[in-house]
Amino acid sequence: MTNRTIRIWALIHKWTSLVCTLFMLLLCLTGLPLIFHDEIEALTAEDTLPHMPADTPLKTLDEAVASALATYPGERPLFLSFDEDRPVVNVTTGPDARPPVSRMHISAIDLRTTRILADLNDDNGFMHVMLRLHVDLFAGLPGELFLGFMGFLLFVATLSGVVVYAPFMRKLSFGTVRAGRSARLKWLDLHNMLGIVTLMWVAVVGLTGVINTLSVPLVAYWRANELAAMIAPYDGKPVPERFTSVDAAVRLAMDAAPGMRPQFVAFPGVRFSSNHHYAVWLKGATPATRQILTPALIDAETGAFTDMRSMPWYMLALRLSQPLHFGDYGGLPLKILWAALDVLTIIILGSGLYLWVARRSQSHAAAAGLDAVAGEAAE
Amino acid sequence: MKPRTRLPLSTIFAIPAAIALVTGTGLVVALLDDGLVDAVSWAALSVPILAAVWSWRRRER
């Protein structure tokens, strides 16, 4: 590489980093508690399941939905999701088919009694604030896409960081940290060392984060293309006045897909279904196929099975981006490693900012840029 | 240890590439199954952290 190419990559590294660093610090800090949201929420959980005999019969899903609607009169059902390991369903209701999340109500319902265990509408709590700061800065879709762009800049900063790593390390062995001379040299070495060892994790968590911010447009695209093709005969039909049994719809979907389990049901009209159908989203029963969802469409007016198709590649990418970003797919030890890598990333961001400030406050001689630092690095 | 001559790129990036490969493997395998495979991913994702700790412990004071 010529000095000129190196200088260009150094400029790319500097500016992409500078633009995204403060947002990335915010994302790393808010992400830290979010890694452990299951554990934190379990500490404060109010919805402990009352003890009942193991063979207590379960009520139907329709009764569970009715129970939620009785609590929020005038609303309509939007989603019904299944708890992994207990007889509990979570019913989401709202004033219309596509309300903002802030106007939705989520009830956790004990399927044995249809009693509401807890309403999951806590939108003032600490974890909620962390989540919103992390996802959209309280700004909805524009906020989400903005953070996605910041994540893209982080990815470019990471790649350019790898390129400029080489000239620094021409005469240094891997992992050298010269802590005994100037503070700036110590932090430069630490920045380089931490940056290069966490490279793959930062790249994967960054990119999957970017993909997650594209969730809304990707689902809209899926709805306009794949879903539209599946329901072509129903084109233009309005949302039915009354829905057939959701319980029967789920059973029909499970019969059509042996070996799969329902993850959630989207009611007619919502983002994840058509205007005329229940979409029963089924997941595989093994860890490898758990992330792969297959929507089965059931006519909500007649109760007939309409179609079932596996997800297109971009929906699969979106789906797989969730665990790879959250780190919640390998038990508590994986979450702890995630947190440790997150802290290392905070040190990289902070040291990068420090190096920029330290360089700026120096004499103009240092403004020669990377060459000067590279010279110092190589002695 | 300070090499006298300029190191070739293959030397500069040998260990970083190995760490990246191990990290990437660790990230993917835990998706595939539960149980033993999770332990493999824990070991793999410890590698970048241990490399950082190792570098810091042998820093030149």
Side-chain angles (χ1 to χ4, degrees), chain A residues 220-269:
Chain A
Y221 181 84
W222 169 81
R223 206 175 189 276
N225 290 274
E226 299 279 323
L227 183 70
M230 287 166 81
I231 54 148
Y234 295 85
D235 201 21
K237 281 205 176 188
V239 179
E241 289 281 305
R242 297 174 63 84
F243 303 153
T244 54
S245 161
V246 61
D247 208 71
V250 169
R251 264 183 284 119
L252 200 57
M254 288 175 76
D255 288 346
M260 298 186 89
R261 288 179 299 153
Q263 161 113 346
F264 71 96
V265 181
F267 283 72

Coordinates of all heavy atoms in Angstrom, one line a residue, chain A residues 220-269:
Chain A
A220 N -42.7 -5.1 5.4 CA -43.6 -4.5 4.4 C -43.4 -5.1 3.0 O -44.4 -5.3 2.3 CB -43.4 -3.0 4.5
Y221 N -42.1 -5.2 2.7 CA -41.8 -5.8 1.4 C -42.3 -7.2 1.3 O -42.9 -7.6 0.2 CB -40.3 -5.8 1.2 CG -39.8 -6.3 -0.2 CD1 -39.8 -5.4 -1.3 CD2 -39.4 -7.6 -0.3 CE1 -39.4 -5.9 -2.5 CE2 -39.0 -8.1 -1.6 CZ -39.0 -7.2 -2.7 OH -38.7 -7.7 -3.9
W222 N -42.1 -8.0 2.3 CA -42.6 -9.4 2.3 C -44.1 -9.4 2.1 O -44.7 -10.2 1.4 CB -42.2 -10.1 3.7 CG -42.9 -11.4 3.9 CD1 -42.5 -12.6 3.3 CD2 -44.1 -11.7 4.6 NE1 -43.4 -13.6 3.7 CE2 -44.4 -13.0 4.5 CE3 -44.9 -10.9 5.4 CZ2 -45.5 -13.6 5.2 CZ3 -46.0 -11.5 6.1 CH2 -46.3 -12.8 5.9
R223 N -44.8 -8.5 2.8 CA -46.3 -8.5 2.8 C -46.7 -8.1 1.4 O -47.7 -8.6 0.8 CB -46.8 -7.4 3.8 CG -48.2 -7.6 4.3 CD -48.5 -6.6 5.4 NE -49.8 -7.0 6.0 CZ -51.0 -6.7 5.5 NH1 -51.1 -6.0 4.4 NH2 -52.1 -7.0 6.2
A224 N -46.0 -7.2 0.7 CA -46.4 -6.7 -0.6 C -46.1 -7.7 -1.7 O -46.6 -7.6 -2.8 CB -45.7 -5.4 -0.9
N225 N -45.1 -8.6 -1.4 CA -44.7 -9.6 -2.5 C -45.1 -11.0 -2.2 O -46.1 -11.5 -2.7 CB -43.2 -9.5 -2.7 CG -42.9 -8.1 -3.4 OD1 -42.9 -8.0 -4.6 ND2 -42.6 -7.1 -2.6
E226 N -44.4 -11.6 -1.3 CA -44.6 -13.1 -1.0 C -46.1 -13.3 -0.5 O -46.8 -14.1 -1.0 CB -43.7 -13.5 0.1 CG -42.2 -13.4 -0.3 CD -41.8 -14.6 -1.1 OE1 -42.3 -15.7 -0.9 OE2 -41.0 -14.4 -2.0
L227 N -46.5 -12.5 0.5 CA -47.8 -12.6 1.1 C -48.9 -12.3 0.0 O -49.9 -13.1 -0.1 CB -48.0 -11.7 2.3 CG -49.3 -11.9 3.0 CD1 -49.3 -13.3 3.7 CD2 -49.5 -10.8 4.0
A228 N -48.6 -11.3 -0.8 CA -49.6 -10.9 -1.8 C -49.8 -12.1 -2.8 O -50.9 -12.4 -3.2 CB -49.2 -9.7 -2.5
A229 N -48.7 -12.8 -3.1 CA -48.8 -13.9 -4.0 C -49.6 -15.1 -3.4 O -50.4 -15.8 -4.0 CB -47.4 -14.4 -4.4
M230 N -49.4 -15.3 -2.1 CA -50.1 -16.4 -1.4 C -51.6 -16.1 -1.3 O -52.4 -17.0 -1.3 CB -49.6 -16.5 0.0 CG -48.2 -17.2 0.1 SD -47.5 -17.0 1.8 CE -48.2 -18.3 2.7
I231 N -52.0 -14.9 -1.3 CA -53.5 -14.6 -1.0 C -54.1 -13.9 -2.2 O -55.1 -13.2 -2.1 CB -53.6 -13.6 0.2 CG1 -52.8 -12.4 0.0 CG2 -53.3 -14.4 1.5 CD1 -53.3 -11.2 0.7
A232 N -53.5 -14.1 -3.4 CA -54.0 -13.4 -4.6 C -55.5 -13.6 -4.8 O -56.2 -12.6 -5.2 CB -53.2 -13.9 -5.8
P233 N -56.0 -14.8 -4.6 CA -57.5 -14.9 -4.8 C -58.3 -14.1 -3.9 O -59.5 -13.8 -4.1 CB -57.8 -16.4 -4.5 CG -56.4 -17.1 -4.6 CD -55.4 -16.1 -4.2
Y234 N -57.7 -13.6 -2.8 CA -58.5 -12.8 -1.8 C -58.3 -11.3 -2.0 O -58.7 -10.6 -1.1 CB -58.1 -13.2 -0.4 CG -58.4 -14.7 0.0 CD1 -57.6 -15.7 -0.4 CD2 -59.6 -14.9 0.6 CE1 -57.9 -17.0 -0.1 CE2 -59.9 -16.2 1.0 CZ -59.1 -17.3 0.6 OH -59.4 -18.5 0.9
D235 N -57.6 -11.0 -3.0 CA -57.2 -9.6 -3.2 C -58.4 -8.6 -3.1 O -59.4 -8.9 -3.7 CB -56.5 -9.5 -4.6 CG -55.7 -8.2 -4.7 OD1 -55.2 -7.8 -3.6 OD2 -55.4 -7.8 -5.8
G236 N -58.2 -7.6 -2.3 CA -59.2 -6.6 -2.2 C -60.3 -6.9 -1.2 O -61.2 -6.0 -1.0
K237 N -60.3 -8.1 -0.7 CA -61.4 -8.4 0.3 C -61.2 -7.6 1.6 O -60.0 -7.5 2.1 CB -61.4 -9.9 0.6 CG -62.1 -10.7 -0.4 CD -62.6 -12.0 0.2 CE -63.4 -12.8 -0.8 NZ -64.0 -14.0 -0.2
P238 N -62.2 -7.1 2.2 CA -62.0 -6.4 3.5 C -61.8 -7.3 4.7 O -61.9 -8.6 4.5 CB -63.4 -5.7 3.7 CG -64.4 -6.6 3.0 CD -63.6 -7.3 1.9
V239 N -61.4 -6.8 5.8 CA -61.2 -7.5 7.0 C -62.6 -8.1 7.4 O -63.6 -7.3 7.5 CB -60.6 -6.6 8.1 CG1 -60.5 -7.4 9.4 CG2 -59.3 -6.1 7.7
P240 N -62.7 -9.4 7.7 CA -64.0 -9.9 8.0 C -64.6 -9.3 9.3 O -63.9 -8.8 10.2 CB -63.7 -11.4 8.3 CG -62.4 -11.7 7.7 CD -61.7 -10.4 7.7
E241 N -65.9 -9.2 9.3 CA -66.6 -8.7 10.5 C -66.4 -9.5 11.7 O -66.1 -9.0 12.8 CB -68.1 -8.6 10.2 CG -68.6 -7.6 9.2 CD -68.7 -6.2 9.8 OE1 -69.4 -6.1 10.8 OE2 -68.0 -5.3 9.2
R242 N -66.5 -10.8 11.6 CA -66.2 -11.7 12.7 C -65.2 -12.7 12.3 O -65.1 -13.1 11.1 CB -67.5 -12.4 13.1 CG -68.7 -11.6 13.6 CD -69.9 -12.4 13.8 NE -69.7 -13.4 14.8 CZ -69.9 -13.2 16.1 NH1 -70.2 -12.0 16.5 NH2 -69.7 -14.1 17.0
F243 N -64.3 -13.1 13.2 CA -63.3 -14.1 12.9 C -63.8 -15.5 13.4 O -64.4 -15.6 14.4 CB -62.0 -13.7 13.6 CG -61.5 -12.4 13.3 CD1 -60.7 -11.7 14.3 CD2 -61.7 -11.7 12.1 CE1 -60.1 -10.5 14.0 CE2 -61.2 -10.5 11.9 CZ -60.4 -9.8 12.8
T244 N -63.4 -16.5 12.6 CA -63.6 -17.9 13.0 C -62.7 -18.2 14.2 O -61.8 -17.4 14.6 CB -63.4 -18.9 11.9 OG1 -62.0 -18.6 11.4 CG2 -64.4 -18.7 10.8
S245 N -62.8 -19.4 14.7 CA -62.1 -19.8 15.9 C -60.5 -19.7 15.7 O -60.0 -20.3 14.7 CB -62.5 -21.2 16.4 OG -61.5 -21.7 17.2
V246 N -59.8 -19.0 16.6 CA -58.4 -19.0 16.4 C -57.8 -20.3 16.9 O -56.8 -20.8 16.4 CB -57.8 -17.8 17.2 CG1 -58.1 -17.9 18.7 CG2 -56.3 -17.7 17.0
D247 N -58.5 -21.0 17.8 CA -58.0 -22.3 18.3 C -58.0 -23.3 17.1 O -57.0 -24.0 16.9 CB -59.0 -22.8 19.4 CG -58.3 -23.7 20.4 OD1 -57.4 -23.2 21.2 OD2 -58.5 -24.9 20.4
A248 N -59.1 -23.3 16.4 CA -59.2 -24.2 15.2 C -58.2 -23.9 14.2 O -57.6 -24.8 13.6 CB -60.6 -24.2 14.6
A249 N -57.9 -22.6 14.0 CA -56.9 -22.2 13.0 C -55.5 -22.7 13.4 O -54.8 -23.2 12.5 CB -56.9 -20.6 12.9
V250 N -55.2 -22.6 14.7 CA -53.9 -23.0 15.1 C -53.8 -24.6 14.9 O -52.7 -25.1 14.5 CB -53.6 -22.6 16.6 CG1 -52.4 -23.3 17.1 CG2 -53.4 -21.1 16.6
R251 N -54.9 -25.3 15.3 CA -54.8 -26.7 15.1 C -54.6 -27.1 13.7 O -53.9 -28.0 13.3 CB -56.1 -27.4 15.8 CG -55.8 -27.8 17.2 CD -57.0 -28.5 17.8 NE -58.0 -27.6 18.2 CZ -59.2 -27.6 17.8 NH1 -59.6 -28.4 16.9 NH2 -60.1 -26.6 18.2
L252 N -55.4 -26.4 12.8 CA -55.3 -26.7 11.4 C -53.9 -26.5 10.8 O -53.3 -27.3 10.1 CB -56.3 -25.8 10.6 CG -56.7 -26.2 9.2 CD1 -57.3 -27.6 9.2 CD2 -57.7 -25.2 8.7
A253 N -53.2 -25.4 11.3 CA -51.9 -25.1 10.9 C -50.9 -26.2 11.4 O -50.0 -26.6 10.6 CB -51.5 -23.7 11.4
M254 N -51.1 -26.6 12.6 CA -50.2 -27.6 13.2 C -50.3 -28.9 12.5 O -49.3 -29.7 12.3 CB -50.4 -27.7 14.7 CG -49.9 -26.5 15.5 SD -50.3 -26.6 17.2 CE -49.1 -27.8 17.8
D255 N -51.6 -29.3 12.1 CA -51.8 -30.5 11.3 C -51.1 -30.4 10.0 O -50.6 -31.4 9.4 CB -53.3 -30.7 11.1 CG -54.0 -31.2 12.4 OD1 -53.2 -31.5 13.3 OD2 -55.2 -31.1 12.4
A256 N -51.0 -29.2 9.4 CA -50.4 -29.1 8.0 C -48.9 -29.1 8.1 O -48.2 -29.3 7.1 CB -50.9 -27.8 7.4
A257 N -48.3 -28.9 9.3 CA -46.9 -28.9 9.5 C -46.4 -29.7 10.6 O -46.1 -29.2 11.7 CB -46.4 -27.4 9.6
P258 N -46.4 -31.0 10.4 CA -46.1 -31.9 11.5 C -44.6 -31.6 12.0 O -43.8 -31.3 11.2 CB -46.1 -33.3 10.9 CG -46.9 -33.2 9.6 CD -46.7 -31.7 9.2
G259 N -44.4 -31.7 13.3 CA -43.1 -31.4 13.8 C -42.8 -30.0 14.1 O -41.7 -29.6 14.5
M260 N -43.8 -29.1 13.8 CA -43.5 -27.7 14.0 C -44.5 -27.2 15.1 O -45.5 -27.8 15.4 CB -43.7 -26.8 12.8 CG -42.8 -27.2 11.7 SD -42.9 -26.1 10.2 CE -41.7 -24.9 10.7
R261 N -44.1 -26.1 15.8 CA -44.9 -25.6 16.9 C -45.2 -24.1 16.6 O -44.4 -23.4 15.9 CB -44.1 -25.7 18.2 CG -44.0 -27.1 18.7 CD -43.2 -27.1 20.0 NE -41.8 -26.6 19.8 CZ -41.1 -26.0 20.7 NH1 -41.6 -25.8 21.9 NH2 -39.9 -25.6 20.5
P262 N -46.4 -23.7 17.0 CA -46.7 -22.3 16.8 C -45.9 -21.3 17.6 O -45.7 -21.6 18.8 CB -48.2 -22.2 17.1 CG -48.4 -23.3 18.1 CD -47.5 -24.4 17.8
Q263 N -45.4 -20.3 17.0 CA -44.7 -19.2 17.7 C -45.7 -18.1 18.1 O -45.7 -17.6 19.2 CB -43.5 -18.7 16.9 CG -43.0 -17.4 17.3 CD -41.6 -17.5 17.9 OE1 -41.1 -18.5 18.2 NE2 -40.9 -16.3 18.0
F264 N -46.4 -17.6 17.0 CA -47.4 -16.6 17.3 C -48.4 -16.6 16.2 O -48.2 -17.2 15.1 CB -46.8 -15.2 17.5 CG -46.2 -14.6 16.2 CD1 -47.0 -13.7 15.4 CD2 -45.0 -14.9 15.8 CE1 -46.5 -13.1 14.3 CE2 -44.4 -14.3 14.6 CZ -45.2 -13.4 13.9
V265 N -49.6 -16.0 16.5 CA -50.7 -15.9 15.5 C -50.8 -14.4 15.2 O -50.9 -13.6 16.2 CB -52.0 -16.5 16.0 CG1 -53.1 -16.4 15.0 CG2 -51.8 -17.9 16.4
A266 N -50.9 -14.0 14.0 CA -51.2 -12.7 13.6 C -52.6 -12.6 13.1 O -53.0 -13.4 12.3 CB -50.2 -12.2 12.5
F267 N -53.4 -11.8 13.7 CA -54.8 -11.7 13.4 C -55.0 -10.9 12.1 O -54.1 -10.2 11.6 CB -55.6 -11.0 14.5 CG -55.9 -11.9 15.7 CD1 -54.8 -12.3 16.5 CD2 -57.1 -12.5 15.9 CE1 -55.0 -13.2 17.6 CE2 -57.3 -13.4 17.0 CZ -56.3 -13.7 17.8
P268 N -56.2 -11.1 11.4 CA -56.4 -10.5 10.1 C -56.2 -9.0 10.2 O -56.6 -8.3 11.2 CB -57.9 -10.8 9.8 CG -58.1 -12.1 10.5 CD -57.3 -12.0 11.8
G269 N -55.5 -8.4 9.2 CA -55.3 -7.0 9.1 C -54.0 -6.5 9.6 O -53.6 -5.4 9.3

